[in-house]
Structure formats: structure tokens, C-alpha cells
Amino acid sequence: MEEPSPLRRFLLPAVFVFALFALLFFRNRDGGNRSGEWTFRGPTMGTAWTVKVADPDLDKESRDLIETTIQQTVALVDQRMSNWKDDSELSLLNRHDTSPYPVSGELLGILDRAIDIHRLTGGAFDITVGPLVNAYGFGPGDPPRVPSEDELKELLARTGLSKLTLNKSAGTATKRHADLYFDLSGIAKGFAVDRVADALEQLGQTKYMIEIGGEIRTRGRNGSGEIWRIGVEQPDPTLREAGRIIPLLDTAMATSGEYRNFYEVGGVRYSHTIDPRTGKPIDHHLASVSVLHKSCTSADAIATGLNVLGPDEGYALAVEHGIAALFILERSNGSFIEHATPAFETTLQRTREAELADPVVP
Ligand code: ADP
Ligand code: MG
């Protein structure tokens, strides 16, 4: 038998090992480029953002630009809409008296959308419940506690979105009660997702997935040319794994649920979502509700509103208005059942058809 040549004995294996290392190295550079996708992450609004961009050819400079653009976009939304920042635009408005207050286009836009969704949800979505959210210890400041009935009555008198007037041409917001205090936590994450989408589009990106604290928006296909798939978390505070997987094509999805943010006093569970009709935390067996909508701002606010209304009233309202919503209910034995509206099923069906027609779009 002939001896293998030195080339075959040393050089080829060396080339093979180098190629393997190079492949692994380049796949994981800067947050990873797995199957043609780049992942960017960062903290914001007391939670985290994740953005995936399906563009395998992005060079380091373009990736850096994408990353700083996202960081600046979410920081600007936070600086306008945070209750946790004393010097945010929202905090200044909250401290302002009853004279017209000039607000930025962004703040005016989100207040206007909040009024729309307030109407759509029959008043269930109401950003003026802030003082109640804070009284129960879910806002900035005081720790969790249960306020007295007298205190609740007094706080309820300060709420109601009809006490806010917007003048779009003058660019002002007017509080008709000096103590009116807005909490945008039920809509601001979705709004930030939409602003990040705008920013990515301006950079020429058309294939992406944006997620901030569970609110999501996608456009186009992922790095493998498939439709983006999003896991709706199992509504169980002790688990953190995806339950149902939902394909999202050029759509936003927001989820509102009580399985993560609540506390217990004397065996009673207190949710961070307030029913504006009673001033009290909601109390029903809805584990979570996810809403599909082209705007993540709207999806976020509608999901919060449907969560207030609960499994029966919320479901009926969603059906009546053709809202694509998936309700997950907790049974008394601790198991979960899903209840999707016809519009939700239709959206999913259309997505499946798009996938069948074009399983992989490069
Ligand atoms: P999550 O995604 O954390 O479940 P949501 O989008 O449902 O949150 O928003 C919940 C937050 O909205 C609460 O923490 C509170 O600050 C605020 N909020 C509570 N009740 C209401 C309400 N009825 N309408 C609008 N915002 C509310
Ligand atoms: Mg919300």
C-alpha cells in the first residue's frame, strides 16, 4: 500500500480544522449570525429588547448603526413616557396644572391612541388609573399594599380619561383635574416596538423581528426564509417556556397577563391591572390575552383593555369588533384552555396559506 502524501496527511486535515473554526467563529461574531440573522439586545423600560434582522450581508459598520439606532429610539420613548423618570415628558405633564401643556408629537400621538382604545374597549383601557396602580404598589415609589375603601373612593375621583382634552393643531394636552396622572405602562412598550420598526425601515431593513417585554412585531421572513414564529409563554409564574407557537407575518402581537406581575396578601392575589370601573385590581380566571394587530401600540393597549374585561366580556367585545385575540383561561384544576376569536383564526389561517404558497422565501 502506498504511503499517503504529506499533503493528504497534514495539510488537508489542517485546512478542514481551520475551516471548522472559521465557521464557528464567524457564525458567533457580535451576537451571532445564525442562519442569516443578526441578533441585537439591550435593557429598557425595566425590561429588555431583542431585535433580529435577517440580512446576512450586514457588515460591522451597518450592525453598529442598527444597534445605536435602536438604543437611541427606545431611550427617547422612555424619556418621553416613563413614570419612573422624574424628568420624563410624561412626569412633567403629570405634575402640570390645568392650563394647556405643549407636548411632543410622540406624546400627543400616544395620548390620542390611548383615547381611541379607551373608547374601543368601553373604558376598560384607561391610562388615568395611574394613582390606583401606584396606591397598590405597582408604580414607582411605595411598596405593595391594599388601600382602604375611603382612599379608593378619593383616588377614583381623580381618574377618567374624559378629564383629558387634546388640541392636535395647537399640540397641547389639557388636564381638567390638576391631580390627573397618566400611566402609559399598558401601551408604551408597544409604541416603542413601532418606533423601532420605523427606525429599521429607515435603515432599509424589511426583514426583522422586534420584541420589547413580550410585545412583538415582525416583517418579512427570518434568516432561513421562513415565517417568524413566536412562542406565547406558558401562563404559569413558575414556568418560563413557550406554550403555543404563533407564526407572525407582517403583524404585531401583544400579550397582557397576570401570571408574572402580581402579589398575594392573605391568600388573595392582587394583579397590576386595575378595573377602572371599581378602582380595584382585576379578579378573574383569564391567565393571558394576546392580540394581533398591524400596530403594536394598538395591540398592546387592546390586550390590556381585554385583560381588564376578562374572559367573557372581553371575548364578546373582541368578537364584536373583529379583534384577533387569543384568550388563555385557567381552569380550577390549574390546567389551561385556549379561546381564540374568529379574527384570530382567520389571521393564522392566512399566514398558513402564505406559508404553503411560499414555504421558503430567500
Ligand atoms: P403586561 O404586558 O406587563 O401584562 P400590560 O400591557 O397589560 O402589561 O400593562 C399593564 C400596566 O398598565 C400596569 O402595570 C399598569 O401600570 C397599567 N394599567 C393597569 N390597569 C390599566 C388599565 N385599566 N388601563 C390602562 N393601563 C393600565
Ligand atoms: Mg398592554
Side-chain angles (χ1 to χ4, degrees), residues 125 185-187 215 255-256 300-301 303-304:
F125 179 77
S185 306
I187 187 171
E215 322 304 16
T255 302
S256 188
D300 191 0
T304 303

Side-chain angles (χ1 to χ4, degrees), residues 127-178:
I127 54 170
T128 68
V129 295
L132 292 151
V133 173
N134 295 353
Y136 279 95
F138 288 109
D142 295 339
R145 76 190 171 87
V146 182
S148 70
E149 289 292 329
D150 282 349
E151 202 181 336
L152 282 185
K153 241 186 241 155
E154 191 256 319
L155 290 171
L156 259 178
R158 292 173 51 184
T159 68
L161 206 42
S162 57
K163 298 187 178 83
L164 166 70
T165 315
L166 299 181
N167 185 332
K168 283 191 223 168
S169 48
T172 57
T174 308
K175 307 196 301 188
R176 286 202 283 111
H177 191 305

Side-chain angles (χ1 to χ4, degrees), residues 59-317:
D59 58 18
K60 174 92 174 78
E61 204 182 326
S62 314
R63 298 196 305 271
D64 287 349
L65 179 62
I66 289 178
E67 185 153 29
T68 43
T69 304
I70 299 169
Q71 281 162 350
Q72 286 166 359
T73 306
V74 294
L76 184 66
V77 173
D78 200 34
Q79 187 55 40
R80 295 218 194 281
M81 294 164 192
S82 174
N83 287 92
W84 272 263
K85 284 196 161 94
D86 264 355
D87 63 346
S88 73
E89 193 185 2
L90 182 70
S91 291
L92 296 180
L93 173 64
N94 279 339
R95 287 201 296 273
H96 189 68
D97 57 25
T98 52
S99 61
Y101 188 75
V103 287
S104 65
E106 277 98 346
L107 190 54
L108 195 73
I110 202 170
L111 290 173
D112 193 38
R113 188 73 63 92
I115 293 173
D116 282 350
I117 309 295
H118 177 73
R119 293 204 183 108
L120 176 71
T121 58
F125 179 77
D126 189 336
I127 54 170
T128 68
V129 295
L132 292 151
V133 173
N134 295 353
Y136 279 95
F138 288 109
D142 295 339
R145 76 190 171 87
V146 182
S148 70
E149 289 292 329
D150 282 349
E151 202 181 336
L152 282 185
K153 241 186 241 155
E154 191 256 319
L155 290 171
L156 259 178
R158 292 173 51 184
T159 68
L161 206 42
S162 57
K163 298 187 178 83
L164 166 70
T165 315
L166 299 181
N167 185 332
K168 283 191 223 168
S169 48
T172 57
T174 308
K175 307 196 301 188
R176 286 202 283 111
H177 191 305
D179 289 336
L180 202 60
Y181 171 101
F182 309 106
D183 171 0
L184 296 176
S185 306
I187 187 171
K189 281 183 286 173
F191 183 80
V193 167
D194 284 338
R195 295 294 74 76
V196 171
D198 293 345
L200 290 177
E201 304 269 338
Q202 290 223 320
L203 294 176
Q205 295 303 328
T206 52
K207 293 188 273 180
Y208 52 75
M209 190 281 304
I210 304 160
E211 188 253 336
I212 303 180
E215 322 304 16
I216 294 156
R217 182 165 150 178
T218 72
R219 181 169 172 201
R221 307 284 187 115
N222 69 16
S224 313
E226 295 153 353
I227 289 174
W228 298 97
R229 295 193 131 65
I230 311 296
V232 173
E233 276 182 55
Q234 199 80 252
D236 179 330
T238 58
L239 297 173
R240 215 180 171 152
E241 55 207 52
R244 177 164 170 176
I245 306 292
I246 298 178
L248 281 191
L249 183 59
D250 303 342
T251 300
M253 178 173 79
T255 302
S256 188
E258 298 319 314
Y259 50 96
R260 191 68 42 69
N261 205 344
F262 66 88
Y263 62 83
E264 273 185 14
V265 176
V268 180
R269 196 183 257 219
Y270 291 91
S271 152
H272 69 139
T273 302
I274 303 291
D275 188 331
R277 298 165 293 192
T278 61
K280 292 181 180 172
I282 55 170
D283 171 28
H284 49 57
H285 295 291
L286 185 53
S288 75
V289 53
S290 299
V291 170
L292 306 181
H293 199 284
K294 63 181 189 326
S295 148
C296 200
T297 312
S298 294
D300 191 0
I302 294 171
T304 303
L306 293 182
N307 188 25
V308 169
L309 293 173
D312 303 324
E313 225 184 311
Y315 186 83
L317 185 124

Side-chain angles (χ1 to χ4, degrees), residues 293-343:
H293 199 284
K294 63 181 189 326
S295 148
C296 200
T297 312
S298 294
D300 191 0
I302 294 171
T304 303
L306 293 182
N307 188 25
V308 169
L309 293 173
D312 303 324
E313 225 184 311
Y315 186 83
L317 185 124
V319 172
E320 185 193 336
H321 292 281
I323 296 166
L326 174 70
F327 291 73
I328 301 184
L329 285 75
E330 190 175 356
R331 286 210 194 92
S332 49
N333 67 4
S335 65
F336 296 98
I337 40 165
E338 296 182 348
H339 210 186
T341 62

